Amino acid sequence: MSVYLEKERVVAIEAVERASRVCKAVFKQLVNEETLTKKDKSPVTVADFSAQAVVNSILEKHFPDDPIVGEEDSKDLQGEDGRVLRERVVELVNTTVDKPMSAEEVLRAIDRGQYKGGSSGRHWTLDPIDGTKGFLRGEQFAVCLALIVDGQVQLGVVGCPNLPYDMSKPEGDKGVLAVAVQGQGAFQRKLDSDSRSEQPIVVSNVEDACNASFCESVESGHSNHGDNAKIAELLGISKQSVRMDSQCKYIAVARGDADIYLRLPVDSKYVEKIWDHAAGNIIIHEAGGHVSDINGQPLDFSKGRTLSANKGVIAANSYIFETVLAAVQTTLANKY
């Protein structure tokens, strides 16, 4: 008897692992040697395009009818203005794909990510590099891929090339792949290892919020750190926050390295993108945690490319989730 989404799980893991290799190669070759800034067609731009081309080409090979909601399009790679960047991306893509791809094939693969999303049928959503500043610092970033069916996330894979496999050994092995399928639990393995090394992951069992720890963004522009501090005070939390970029924060909570992840609105107009949360959302749920917006509503991935029905994100284990939600709502009352 076949296992639900068995093939999709295998293919998604392959895609994320290959994209993670490309990102590591970009960092080694370009960040260290050229130290470009993002404004100057930076290494993160090269890695973004290369990783999206790799993932999309693998998905097209195995699931040609599945559309993709991706972050990038190929306009900056077109024509003479885009020639240098385009050639660099094509070269990198061809270091990891099975069959060499032409420039036209690479651009077409990138542009497969322009689907609008929605509430019916199957589609994938991809963030080729989540945590761009973490990537440039050589710290935490992630390659994030999820499958959404009829508006519900059914599969999530997050590759974290710089995340310690065991946070109690920060200088030990680095490179984690986390995966979850609806109803099957959450697992982690070392990047580029086989499925036999997978281990189940579960959220922490902290029952009193005052004993909990936050996992927060390094960049304050991604979440309101001032409100986070007020919430921590309300909850009586004194532990130092774990700070890292990207959906690695979801993985940290899913495996019990931290207990609470808050992504609070920075203003009333900001709307989250589905690719920033889809994979992490299902991994937290399958690890035994809860995820909602600041109003306690589940994240709604059926509205297109954004979480337009939601404001902010709260993730925590099931013991303390309601307490954390109440503290968030008290702090943000009448604010959004």
Side-chain angles (χ1 to χ4, degrees), residues 35-58:
T35 57
L36 301 173
T37 66
K38 192 171 185 183
K39 293 178 182 177
D40 300 320
K41 302 301 182 190
S42 70
V44 76
T45 304
V46 176
D48 256 334
F49 284 127
S50 302
Q52 182 152 320
V54 167
V55 172
N56 288 1
S57 65
I58 291 171

PDB file of all heavy atoms in Angstrom, residues 35-58:
ATOM      1  N   THR A  35      32.682  39.596  -1.800  1.00  0.00           N
ATOM      2  CA  THR A  35      32.008  40.384  -0.755  1.00  0.00           C
ATOM      3  C   THR A  35      31.144  41.492  -1.354  1.00  0.00           C
ATOM      4  O   THR A  35      31.330  42.679  -1.101  1.00  0.00           O
ATOM      5  CB  THR A  35      33.017  40.986   0.244  1.00  0.00           C
ATOM      6  OG1 THR A  35      33.975  41.784  -0.459  1.00  0.00           O
ATOM      7  CG2 THR A  35      33.718  39.898   1.020  1.00  0.00           C
ATOM      8  N   LEU A  36      30.204  41.063  -2.192  1.00  0.00           N
ATOM      9  CA  LEU A  36      29.302  42.012  -2.832  1.00  0.00           C
ATOM     10  C   LEU A  36      28.146  42.334  -1.904  1.00  0.00           C
ATOM     11  O   LEU A  36      27.774  41.544  -1.040  1.00  0.00           O
ATOM     12  CB  LEU A  36      28.754  41.407  -4.131  1.00  0.00           C
ATOM     13  CG  LEU A  36      29.801  41.018  -5.181  1.00  0.00           C
ATOM     14  CD1 LEU A  36      29.129  40.284  -6.329  1.00  0.00           C
ATOM     15  CD2 LEU A  36      30.509  42.244  -5.698  1.00  0.00           C
ATOM     16  N   THR A  37      27.524  43.470  -2.099  1.00  0.00           N
ATOM     17  CA  THR A  37      26.328  43.822  -1.335  1.00  0.00           C
ATOM     18  C   THR A  37      25.101  43.492  -2.160  1.00  0.00           C
ATOM     19  O   THR A  37      25.161  43.357  -3.380  1.00  0.00           O
ATOM     20  CB  THR A  37      26.309  45.322  -0.992  1.00  0.00           C
ATOM     21  OG1 THR A  37      26.189  46.060  -2.201  1.00  0.00           O
ATOM     22  CG2 THR A  37      27.580  45.727  -0.259  1.00  0.00           C
ATOM     23  N   LYS A  38      23.979  43.385  -1.489  1.00  0.00           N
ATOM     24  CA  LYS A  38      22.762  42.991  -2.191  1.00  0.00           C
ATOM     25  C   LYS A  38      22.389  43.999  -3.276  1.00  0.00           C
ATOM     26  O   LYS A  38      21.807  43.634  -4.280  1.00  0.00           O
ATOM     27  CB  LYS A  38      21.619  42.834  -1.187  1.00  0.00           C
ATOM     28  CG  LYS A  38      20.407  42.144  -1.799  1.00  0.00           C
ATOM     29  CD  LYS A  38      19.356  41.779  -0.786  1.00  0.00           C
ATOM     30  CE  LYS A  38      18.241  40.994  -1.466  1.00  0.00           C
ATOM     31  NZ  LYS A  38      17.148  40.676  -0.556  1.00  0.00           N
ATOM     32  N   LYS A  39      22.735  45.253  -3.101  1.00  0.00           N
ATOM     33  CA  LYS A  39      22.386  46.271  -4.090  1.00  0.00           C
ATOM     34  C   LYS A  39      23.139  46.075  -5.401  1.00  0.00           C
ATOM     35  O   LYS A  39      22.766  46.631  -6.419  1.00  0.00           O
ATOM     36  CB  LYS A  39      22.685  47.668  -3.535  1.00  0.00           C
ATOM     37  CG  LYS A  39      21.796  48.066  -2.355  1.00  0.00           C
ATOM     38  CD  LYS A  39      22.180  49.440  -1.838  1.00  0.00           C
ATOM     39  CE  LYS A  39      21.336  49.822  -0.628  1.00  0.00           C
ATOM     40  NZ  LYS A  39      21.746  51.120  -0.066  1.00  0.00           N
ATOM     41  N   ASP A  40      24.220  45.327  -5.370  1.00  0.00           N
ATOM     42  CA  ASP A  40      25.077  45.169  -6.547  1.00  0.00           C
ATOM     43  C   ASP A  40      24.976  43.761  -7.135  1.00  0.00           C
ATOM     44  O   ASP A  40      25.988  43.148  -7.450  1.00  0.00           O
ATOM     45  CB  ASP A  40      26.533  45.468  -6.172  1.00  0.00           C
ATOM     46  CG  ASP A  40      26.712  46.879  -5.651  1.00  0.00           C
ATOM     47  OD1 ASP A  40      26.083  47.794  -6.210  1.00  0.00           O
ATOM     48  OD2 ASP A  40      27.473  47.057  -4.692  1.00  0.00           O
ATOM     49  N   LYS A  41      23.744  43.256  -7.290  1.00  0.00           N
ATOM     50  CA  LYS A  41      23.555  41.900  -7.824  1.00  0.00           C
ATOM     51  C   LYS A  41      24.380  40.910  -6.998  1.00  0.00           C
ATOM     52  O   LYS A  41      25.218  40.181  -7.507  1.00  0.00           O
ATOM     53  CB  LYS A  41      23.947  41.835  -9.309  1.00  0.00           C
ATOM     54  CG  LYS A  41      23.173  42.792 -10.177  1.00  0.00           C
ATOM     55  CD  LYS A  41      21.679  42.544 -10.097  1.00  0.00           C
ATOM     56  CE  LYS A  41      20.917  43.481 -11.020  1.00  0.00           C
ATOM     57  NZ  LYS A  41      19.483  43.446 -10.800  1.00  0.00           N
ATOM     58  N   SER A  42      24.127  40.922  -5.738  1.00  0.00           N
ATOM     59  CA  SER A  42      24.946  40.253  -4.752  1.00  0.00           C
ATOM     60  C   SER A  42      24.918  38.733  -4.854  1.00  0.00           C
ATOM     61  O   SER A  42      24.127  38.156  -5.587  1.00  0.00           O
ATOM     62  CB  SER A  42      24.447  40.645  -3.363  1.00  0.00           C
ATOM     63  OG  SER A  42      23.193  40.051  -3.139  1.00  0.00           O
ATOM     64  N   PRO A  43      25.774  38.090  -4.054  1.00  0.00           N
ATOM     65  CA  PRO A  43      25.742  36.632  -3.984  1.00  0.00           C
ATOM     66  C   PRO A  43      24.371  36.080  -3.632  1.00  0.00           C
ATOM     67  O   PRO A  43      23.982  35.028  -4.121  1.00  0.00           O
ATOM     68  CB  PRO A  43      26.757  36.318  -2.881  1.00  0.00           C
ATOM     69  CG  PRO A  43      27.695  37.465  -2.904  1.00  0.00           C
ATOM     70  CD  PRO A  43      26.867  38.670  -3.273  1.00  0.00           C
ATOM     71  N   VAL A  44      23.636  36.796  -2.771  1.00  0.00           N
ATOM     72  CA  VAL A  44      22.326  36.270  -2.398  1.00  0.00           C
ATOM     73  C   VAL A  44      21.382  36.280  -3.599  1.00  0.00           C
ATOM     74  O   VAL A  44      20.527  35.399  -3.738  1.00  0.00           O
ATOM     75  CB  VAL A  44      21.739  37.038  -1.194  1.00  0.00           C
ATOM     76  CG1 VAL A  44      21.205  38.394  -1.580  1.00  0.00           C
ATOM     77  CG2 VAL A  44      20.650  36.229  -0.507  1.00  0.00           C
ATOM     78  N   THR A  45      21.549  37.245  -4.507  1.00  0.00           N
ATOM     79  CA  THR A  45      20.745  37.268  -5.721  1.00  0.00           C
ATOM     80  C   THR A  45      21.078  36.079  -6.609  1.00  0.00           C
ATOM     81  O   THR A  45      20.195  35.405  -7.135  1.00  0.00           O
ATOM     82  CB  THR A  45      20.980  38.582  -6.499  1.00  0.00           C
ATOM     83  OG1 THR A  45      20.705  39.690  -5.639  1.00  0.00           O
ATOM     84  CG2 THR A  45      20.089  38.664  -7.715  1.00  0.00           C
ATOM     85  N   VAL A  46      22.356  35.824  -6.775  1.00  0.00           N
ATOM     86  CA  VAL A  46      22.801  34.670  -7.563  1.00  0.00           C
ATOM     87  C   VAL A  46      22.252  33.384  -6.952  1.00  0.00           C
ATOM     88  O   VAL A  46      21.738  32.508  -7.658  1.00  0.00           O
ATOM     89  CB  VAL A  46      24.345  34.617  -7.628  1.00  0.00           C
ATOM     90  CG1 VAL A  46      24.809  33.369  -8.369  1.00  0.00           C
ATOM     91  CG2 VAL A  46      24.897  35.862  -8.292  1.00  0.00           C
ATOM     92  N   ALA A  47      22.357  33.248  -5.635  1.00  0.00           N
ATOM     93  CA  ALA A  47      21.887  32.039  -4.960  1.00  0.00           C
ATOM     94  C   ALA A  47      20.371  31.898  -5.065  1.00  0.00           C
ATOM     95  O   ALA A  47      19.860  30.797  -5.279  1.00  0.00           O
ATOM     96  CB  ALA A  47      22.319  32.067  -3.498  1.00  0.00           C
ATOM     97  N   ASP A  48      19.629  33.008  -4.899  1.00  0.00           N
ATOM     98  CA  ASP A  48      18.174  32.979  -5.028  1.00  0.00           C
ATOM     99  C   ASP A  48      17.746  32.401  -6.374  1.00  0.00           C
ATOM    100  O   ASP A  48      16.944  31.468  -6.457  1.00  0.00           O
ATOM    101  CB  ASP A  48      17.610  34.406  -4.908  1.00  0.00           C
ATOM    102  CG  ASP A  48      16.967  34.686  -3.562  1.00  0.00           C
ATOM    103  OD1 ASP A  48      16.510  33.731  -2.914  1.00  0.00           O
ATOM    104  OD2 ASP A  48      16.906  35.844  -3.172  1.00  0.00           O
ATOM    105  N   PHE A  49      18.282  32.984  -7.447  1.00  0.00           N
ATOM    106  CA  PHE A  49      17.912  32.539  -8.786  1.00  0.00           C
ATOM    107  C   PHE A  49      18.342  31.094  -9.032  1.00  0.00           C
ATOM    108  O   PHE A  49      17.594  30.288  -9.603  1.00  0.00           O
ATOM    109  CB  PHE A  49      18.543  33.449  -9.846  1.00  0.00           C
ATOM    110  CG  PHE A  49      17.878  34.784  -9.993  1.00  0.00           C
ATOM    111  CD1 PHE A  49      18.626  35.956  -9.915  1.00  0.00           C
ATOM    112  CD2 PHE A  49      16.518  34.890 -10.216  1.00  0.00           C
ATOM    113  CE1 PHE A  49      18.019  37.204 -10.061  1.00  0.00           C
ATOM    114  CE2 PHE A  49      15.901  36.126 -10.362  1.00  0.00           C
ATOM    115  CZ  PHE A  49      16.659  37.286 -10.288  1.00  0.00           C
ATOM    116  N   SER A  50      19.559  30.758  -8.625  1.00  0.00           N
ATOM    117  CA  SER A  50      20.084  29.418  -8.880  1.00  0.00           C
ATOM    118  C   SER A  50      19.277  28.365  -8.130  1.00  0.00           C
ATOM    119  O   SER A  50      18.911  27.319  -8.690  1.00  0.00           O
ATOM    120  CB  SER A  50      21.558  29.348  -8.472  1.00  0.00           C
ATOM    121  OG  SER A  50      22.332  30.294  -9.167  1.00  0.00           O
ATOM    122  N   ALA A  51      18.982  28.632  -6.858  1.00  0.00           N
ATOM    123  CA  ALA A  51      18.222  27.670  -6.062  1.00  0.00           C
ATOM    124  C   ALA A  51      16.811  27.507  -6.609  1.00  0.00           C
ATOM    125  O   ALA A  51      16.285  26.376  -6.674  1.00  0.00           O
ATOM    126  CB  ALA A  51      18.171  28.124  -4.601  1.00  0.00           C
ATOM    127  N   GLN A  52      16.162  28.607  -7.028  1.00  0.00           N
ATOM    128  CA  GLN A  52      14.812  28.486  -7.580  1.00  0.00           C
ATOM    129  C   GLN A  52      14.821  27.696  -8.878  1.00  0.00           C
ATOM    130  O   GLN A  52      13.933  26.863  -9.109  1.00  0.00           O
ATOM    131  CB  GLN A  52      14.183  29.865  -7.806  1.00  0.00           C
ATOM    132  CG  GLN A  52      12.751  29.782  -8.343  1.00  0.00           C
ATOM    133  CD  GLN A  52      11.888  30.961  -7.965  1.00  0.00           C
ATOM    134  OE1 GLN A  52      11.961  31.456  -6.837  1.00  0.00           O
ATOM    135  NE2 GLN A  52      11.054  31.420  -8.869  1.00  0.00           N
ATOM    136  N   ALA A  53      15.821  27.921  -9.721  1.00  0.00           N
ATOM    137  CA  ALA A  53      15.908  27.163 -10.977  1.00  0.00           C
ATOM    138  C   ALA A  53      16.089  25.677 -10.709  1.00  0.00           C
ATOM    139  O   ALA A  53      15.464  24.830 -11.365  1.00  0.00           O
ATOM    140  CB  ALA A  53      17.060  27.697 -11.823  1.00  0.00           C
ATOM    141  N   VAL A  54      16.941  25.342  -9.742  1.00  0.00           N
ATOM    142  CA  VAL A  54      17.194  23.937  -9.411  1.00  0.00           C
ATOM    143  C   VAL A  54      15.924  23.264  -8.901  1.00  0.00           C
ATOM    144  O   VAL A  54      15.522  22.188  -9.375  1.00  0.00           O
ATOM    145  CB  VAL A  54      18.330  23.822  -8.368  1.00  0.00           C
ATOM    146  CG1 VAL A  54      18.390  22.415  -7.780  1.00  0.00           C
ATOM    147  CG2 VAL A  54      19.671  24.189  -9.009  1.00  0.00           C
ATOM    148  N   VAL A  55      15.268  23.876  -7.928  1.00  0.00           N
ATOM    149  CA  VAL A  55      14.063  23.278  -7.341  1.00  0.00           C
ATOM    150  C   VAL A  55      12.954  23.159  -8.389  1.00  0.00           C
ATOM    151  O   VAL A  55      12.321  22.099  -8.529  1.00  0.00           O
ATOM    152  CB  VAL A  55      13.575  24.091  -6.130  1.00  0.00           C
ATOM    153  CG1 VAL A  55      12.213  23.585  -5.650  1.00  0.00           C
ATOM    154  CG2 VAL A  55      14.592  24.016  -4.996  1.00  0.00           C
ATOM    155  N   ASN A  56      12.714  24.228  -9.132  1.00  0.00           N
ATOM    156  CA  ASN A  56      11.625  24.214 -10.104  1.00  0.00           C
ATOM    157  C   ASN A  56      11.857  23.199 -11.211  1.00  0.00           C
ATOM    158  O   ASN A  56      10.914  22.558 -11.694  1.00  0.00           O
ATOM    159  CB  ASN A  56      11.427  25.609 -10.709  1.00  0.00           C
ATOM    160  CG  ASN A  56      10.810  26.591  -9.726  1.00  0.00           C
ATOM    161  OD1 ASN A  56      10.537  26.244  -8.580  1.00  0.00           O
ATOM    162  ND2 ASN A  56      10.600  27.814 -10.168  1.00  0.00           N
ATOM    163  N   SER A  57      13.098  23.025 -11.632  1.00  0.00           N
ATOM    164  CA  SER A  57      13.379  22.049 -12.695  1.00  0.00           C
ATOM    165  C   SER A  57      13.153  20.625 -12.202  1.00  0.00           C
ATOM    166  O   SER A  57      12.651  19.771 -12.944  1.00  0.00           O
ATOM    167  CB  SER A  57      14.806  22.216 -13.214  1.00  0.00           C
ATOM    168  OG  SER A  57      15.770  21.906 -12.217  1.00  0.00           O
ATOM    169  N   ILE A  58      13.482  20.360 -10.946  1.00  0.00           N
ATOM    170  CA  ILE A  58      13.248  19.026 -10.381  1.00  0.00           C
ATOM    171  C   ILE A  58      11.749  18.765 -10.220  1.00  0.00           C
ATOM    172  O   ILE A  58      11.245  17.682 -10.543  1.00  0.00           O
ATOM    173  CB  ILE A  58      13.989  18.877  -9.038  1.00  0.00           C
ATOM    174  CG1 ILE A  58      15.502  18.847  -9.283  1.00  0.00           C
ATOM    175  CG2 ILE A  58      13.545  17.614  -8.295  1.00  0.00           C
ATOM    176  CD1 ILE A  58      16.337  18.920  -8.017  1.00  0.00           C
TER     177      ILE A  58
END
